[in-house]
Amino acid sequence: ISMLFLPVIQVSGDSMKPTLSNGDIILLVKSKRFSTGELCCVSWQNKLLLKRVIGLPGDNIDIDENGNVYLNGKLLDEPYVTNKALGECDIDLPYTVPEGKLFVMGDQRETSVDSRSTAVGCVDYDQMVGRYLFRIWSAD
């Protein structure tokens, strides 16, 4: 049941701090529906990445030099981000999310490698392991 519907994973790394910490154990729910701002788990190059959904197919993403994120021309309210930064960004901005893809970013904008980098890029719905349901155990 866990593998099919409710995957349990352990957080590795700090890209989602302060929301999630290294060592936390979380429960996901398998889904093909995602909303802007939701935490999700992505399968990428035999690794699991925890990120936040920023843009859905067809959305326009822009990020200024101070790290402010604009979704379809409106500034995103991101209370979960403690230090805004442009980070590792080698895509052309503004950027339109392709059909069948999601634009994801980590909460630690300075160090997170995510859709702002062509190394990761936008993620396909088939790469989505699930969306965050709740933390089972906190490492802090």
Side-chain angles (χ1 to χ4, degrees):
I1 290 174
S2 173
M3 294 305 288
L4 294 176
F5 304 108
L6 298 166
V8 175
I9 65 168
Q10 185 170 18
V11 176
S12 177
D14 292 321
S15 77
M16 293 308 295
K17 266 195 158 214
T19 306
L20 297 172
S21 298
N22 186 47
D24 286 357
I25 297 175
I26 64 171
L27 181 68
L28 304 172
V29 61
K30 293 267 190 177
S31 181
K32 292 294 180 190
R33 285 195 205 165
F34 297 90
S35 302
T36 300
E38 277 187 313
L39 293 177
C40 64
C41 183
V42 177
S43 175
W44 179 74
Q45 293 188 353
N46 295 321
K47 295 179 187 174
L48 295 178
L49 306 178
L50 289 167
K51 301 296 175 191
R52 193 173 295 275
V53 176
I54 300 297
L56 304 173
D59 282 346
N60 188 283
I61 310 290
D62 202 2
I63 308 168
D64 67 21
E65 64 278 351
N66 297 320
N68 294 305
V69 178
Y70 296 86
L71 176 64
N72 300 320
K74 294 184 180 177
L75 178 64
L76 271 185
D77 179 27
E78 298 185 291
Y80 41 80
V81 176
T82 53
N83 293 317
K84 292 185 177 185
L86 182 56
E88 185 177 322
C89 182
D90 63 359
I91 60 170
D92 292 329
L93 295 168
Y95 180 85
T96 301
V97 182
E99 284 304 311
K101 307 267 187 192
L102 296 168
F103 193 94
V104 298
M105 293 171 66
D107 289 355
Q108 284 295 321
R109 300 292 165 80
E110 284 183 307
T111 57
S112 179
V113 179
D114 45 44
S115 293
R116 297 171 292 170
S117 168
T118 54
V120 175
C122 284
V123 295
D124 193 88
Y125 278 86
D126 291 341
Q127 293 175 261
M128 303 304 282
V129 175
R131 66 176 188 242
Y132 174 82
L133 197 53
F134 61 85
R135 182 181 4 226
I136 296 171
W137 186 74
S138 177
D140 288 339

